[in-house]
Amino acid sequence: MRTVRLLVTRPQEDGERTAATLRERGHAVLVAPLLRIESLATADLGPGPFAAVLTTSVNAARAVTQHARIGELRRLPLYTVGQRSAEAAGAAGFAAVHSADGDVHNLVAVVARRLAGTAAPLLYLAGEDRTADLTEELGRHGLSVHTAVIYRAAAAERLPAATARAIAAGDLDGVLHYSRRSAAAFVHCSSAARLSEQSLRLTHHCLSAQVAAPLIDAGAATIRLAARPDEEALLELVGSA
């Protein structure tokens, strides 16, 4: 397998973990966190009682550990999209964690099936910017969902200096994109640095078509989509380049 020179734009903690995995596989990696996750520890969770907790991101589980009602929530079953978010929920102290092993649509299907007929509302721990509307989706199945915004992702306004230098010098082969928001931030920051042409010539490895949308709109030349919306599929994509 040839060495691929990659840029990872995830928030710092996740970006460093992904970089370590890629380096173990023989790739050269530069980390440029273009999103900063901010916990909203005083978020209004609603009165409850709730039947279960729902998450669609590792960030939700991490953020809620700082909330005053974390003890109450840990006693509830938690349903989430995939293995990484399930691991984050376990690390946050949730004992009964159920993974849909897929995306939001899989999560809706699992919750609708397992919690059919539940009268008490479900608590969705969400980010400030989100594409999923679990209230509407699960409402079609007769389930009530209360959404509480427990974290926000603040986008960077400029590329780190080392990243800008690497793009300008042609020292990168590709970029890994895990979210639509970070992909949009990459496009914006590249434009602000007057590096759009060089940035859009790179190979863009994306978790899904939705993640790739800002890059498509910007005119990126080469976009590759993971076979599944999970990290291992994205890393496999890099390895098959």
Side-chain angles (χ1 to χ4, degrees):
M1 181 187 298
R2 73 181 182 90
T3 296
V4 183
R5 300 169 301 173
L6 297 163
L7 177 67
V8 175
T9 61
R10 307 186 79 184
Q12 190 73 46
E13 182 177 348
D14 290 326
E16 294 294 349
R17 180 183 55 77
T18 297
T21 300
L22 287 166
R23 288 169 185 140
E24 288 173 358
R25 300 184 185 193
H27 301 301
V29 187
L30 185 62
V31 179
L34 296 184
L35 294 180
R36 184 182 70 257
I37 304 303
E38 300 175 349
S39 299
L40 303 177
T42 59
D44 180 10
L45 303 186
F50 300 106
V53 175
L54 311 176
T55 68
T56 54
S57 165
V58 298
N59 297 315
R62 292 170 181 165
V64 78
T65 59
Q66 301 178 36
H67 201 279
R69 292 174 63 183
I70 182 60
E72 167 194 344
L73 299 183
R74 282 174 173 149
R75 294 193 291 270
L76 299 174
L78 183 145
Y79 292 83
T80 191
V81 286
Q83 189 58 39
R84 282 290 301 144
S85 53
E87 290 171 358
F94 289 87
V97 178
H98 308 277
S99 170
D101 294 326
D103 58 15
V104 171
H105 301 295
N106 299 111
L107 176 62
V108 168
V110 168
V111 171
R113 182 176 68 252
R114 294 191 182 182
L115 299 181
T118 299
L122 313 178
L123 176 62
Y124 174 32
L125 300 175
E128 189 173 62
D129 296 291
R130 57 192 179 279
T131 55
D133 187 348
L134 295 186
T135 298
E136 180 179 346
E137 294 288 334
L138 288 170
R140 297 193 186 107
H141 297 275
L143 294 170
S144 173
V145 179
H146 174 73
T147 299
V149 176
I150 197 71
Y151 71 93
R152 67 164 63 97
E157 290 297 322
R158 65 187 63 186
L159 293 170
T163 302
R165 287 195 298 269
I167 293 173
D171 290 339
L172 291 172
D173 299 309
V175 188
L176 271 70
H177 300 282
Y178 283 75
S179 73
R180 183 187 179 110
R181 185 88 187 281
S182 62
F186 178 78
V187 170
H188 170 78
C189 292
S190 296
S191 176
R194 298 183 180 180
L195 291 169
S196 290
E197 184 178 350
Q198 298 94 318
S199 295
L200 295 176
R201 282 202 302 262
L202 298 171
T203 297
H204 296 275
H205 306 277
C206 301
L207 199 65
S208 68
Q210 183 181 72
V211 170
L215 297 158
I216 294 171
D217 292 343
T222 306
I223 295 175
R224 307 185 73 216
L225 302 181
R228 306 177 308 278
D230 61 56
E231 182 172 40
E232 185 53 39
L234 186 59
L235 299 187
E236 290 170 0
L237 191 66
V238 173
S240 66

